[in-house]
Each structure stands twice: as C-alpha cells, then as structure tokens.
Amino acid sequence: MPIPPEINAIARVLSRAFYQDPLFSYFFPDDQRRLALSQHTFHFLTRHAHHRGEICTTPGTVDGAAVWLPSRALHRSVVDMMRFGALPMLRQGPAAVKRQLDAGDAMQKVHDALMQKPHAYLLLLGIDPQKQGRGLATRLLQPTLERLDREGLPAYLDTHNPDNVSLYRRFGFEVVHEALMPGTEVRHWAMVRGNC
C-alpha cells in the first residue's frame, strides 16, 4: 500500500520533534541514525491513525501534528500491523524493534489498568523544534479537546519527557501514573483529562 504524501511529511516532522525524546533516544541510541530509523515508527503510527483515528496538522506546511486514536482502535491485529507498515520497521534492527515492542506492551498494561471506558488516546503530539513556542500545540489540540468535551469523553496520553508534563497540564491533563519503564532508565507518565 503506497504511503500518502502527507503521511511522509508528518513522519518527518515527528522524527524531528521526538529526536531528543528520552524514549526515542532509548529506542535508537545512535544519534546519527535516529531520525532515519524513527521515521519507520512514525510512518506506521500515523498510517494506523490515518485509517482508524484522527490526525490534526498545521495548515499548509506540516510543522506539527496531533495524532489521536479512539480507545476501540488501540489493539492492532497482525493484519493491521502488515497493512500499516510494520515490515519496514524491521530495517531498524532486531534490538530496536524489541525495545519498541517491550515498551509498547508495558505502556499498554498501564493504559488498560487505568482506562476501562471509551476515551480518546493522544498517541503523538509533535512540533518541529524550530517552530516550537509559537502556540502550535494549542492549535493542534484545542479542536479535538473541545469536541471531546462536547461528547463527554476523557482523553489519555503517555509521555516520557518531563518538560511535557507541565505542557499537558495546561490543557487539563493530570498525572495518573509515574514510574520508570521496566528495564530502562526512561520515566513514564500517564496522564488523563476528564472523568476516567
């Protein structure tokens, strides 16, 4: 299945946005290869959301993106994995793939324990580092958060960057879990907005 051009642009901007992120530094410790390797992950995640969720981007040039999934779309079948581009991720190498799978399983266990009712999952929020500090996070998040408020749906997210905790608090998210990811030095915060 060909990758739509907008997915390529979103994957590129997310790779830049998450370049210094502790979790992605753990997935891809080689600074020289992290941008290229992480793009496979972002292609996969954004293709999944393109088919099953919602992607909000900046108008015109893609300077940032908010990637959302409904809670019913969080678990992927093997067919979904192939359909959304898991095979190219094998180019990242077996160790990087295993680190991502293990981290995904650990985060999913926390998520499942905390959120049993329908909700929206903010899978990714990323803004090109050169465009940060210009209010793009508000423009990317506000429309979906307003819709969720109208629908009475809570929202959930994971972050591994301590700087993001205060950012998400400004949008009404509260920390409901904080711990080191199993077997790593990467801290994990789970945050919820609305009644869970």
Side-chain angles (χ1 to χ4, degrees), residues 90-104:
L90 296 177
R91 296 178 195 145
Q92 297 169 332
V97 170
K98 183 176 184 333
R99 286 191 291 269
Q100 291 174 88
L101 291 172
D102 290 348

Side-chain angles (χ1 to χ4, degrees), residues 8 19 66 119 127 136 146 171 174-175 186:
N8 284 324
Y19 180 77
H119 61 280
I127 297 164
L136 293 181
E146 288 174 359
F171 292 98
E174 292 300 330
V175 174
V186 178

Side-chain angles (χ1 to χ4, degrees), residues 184-196:
T184 79
E185 296 300 315
V186 178
R187 188 156 293 279
H188 170 223
W189 289 267
M191 302 184 74
V192 172
R193 181 182 188 274
N195 296 324
C196 59

Side-chain angles (χ1 to χ4, degrees), residues 85-192:
L87 282 179
M89 290 175 67
L90 296 177
R91 296 178 195 145
Q92 297 169 332
V97 170
K98 183 176 184 333
R99 286 191 291 269
Q100 291 174 88
L101 291 172
D102 290 348
D105 287 346
M107 287 187 289
Q108 191 64 55
K109 284 178 187 168
V110 171
H111 191 153
D112 290 346
L114 293 171
M115 299 293 287
Q116 280 87 42
K117 70 184 211 178
H119 61 280
Y121 177 48
L122 179 57
L123 178 63
L124 299 162
L125 172 66
I127 297 164
D128 189 307
Q130 296 183 344
K131 306 290 182 167
Q132 291 175 5
R134 301 182 187 184
L136 293 181
T138 299
R139 283 188 254 163
L140 291 168
L141 291 176
Q142 206 62 43
T144 302
L145 293 176
E146 288 174 359
R147 177 179 57 77
L148 294 174
D149 287 344
R150 287 191 303 273
E151 295 172 0
L153 280 176
Y156 180 98
L157 64 83
D158 298 295
T159 188
H160 304 88
N161 184 336
D163 297 335
N164 290 346
V165 174
S166 59
L167 167 74
Y168 289 125
R169 280 192 168 126
R170 290 202 309 263
F171 292 98
F173 286 88
E174 292 300 330
V175 174
V176 291
H177 169 84
E178 179 184 352
L180 288 177
M181 298 283 290
T184 79
E185 296 300 315
V186 178
R187 188 156 293 279
H188 170 223
W189 289 267
M191 302 184 74
V192 172

Side-chain angles (χ1 to χ4, degrees), residues 79-96:
V79 171
D80 284 343
M81 298 283 282
M82 297 303 105
R83 178 179 181 201
F84 302 136
L87 282 179
M89 290 175 67
L90 296 177
R91 296 178 195 145
Q92 297 169 332

Side-chain angles (χ1 to χ4, degrees), residues 4-20:
E6 66 272 16
I7 299 297
N8 284 324
I10 294 165
R12 283 193 298 271
V13 78
L14 291 172
S15 294
R16 292 191 300 275
F18 281 83
Y19 180 77
Q20 298 289 350

